[in-house]
Amino acid sequence: MQDGERDDLNHLACYRTHEASKKRAYERRILEVEHASFTPFIFSATGGLGRESTVVYKCIAVQLSAK
């Protein structure tokens, strides 16, 4: 495995860790109190996105492009 690939995996693992942390902290309350869903937006300072953030970002882009 090359250094660039290892760095990518480290970033992905970091995003997953932060997404799981945010979900543990907020998801139950939002489901029980707000009766809504919760998707954590995880961004890095260099412009990277977590997996769930990428999905939401793409959905927003599709909706905007349809207008």
Side-chain angles (χ1 to χ4, degrees):
M1 183 178 300
Q2 296 178 357
D3 287 338
E5 291 174 359
R6 187 175 307 122
D7 288 343
D8 287 344
L9 289 176
N10 288 340
H11 286 109
L12 295 174
C14 185
Y15 297 147
R16 278 193 305 271
T17 300
H18 286 290
E19 284 176 341
S21 173
K22 295 290 184 185
K23 280 193 166 209
R24 276 192 307 275
Y26 301 110
E27 188 171 41
R28 193 175 84 198
R29 181 188 115 15
I30 290 173
L31 287 172
E32 292 174 1
V33 176
E34 305 291 335
H35 305 288
S37 62
F38 176 70
T39 301
F41 260 35
I42 305 298
F43 294 89
S44 72
T46 59
L49 296 165
R51 185 185 63 80
E52 293 189 45
S53 300
T54 301
V55 171
V56 172
Y57 204 70
K58 286 180 181 180
C59 287
I60 293 170
V62 167
Q63 290 178 359
L64 286 174
S65 70
K67 290 185 175 187

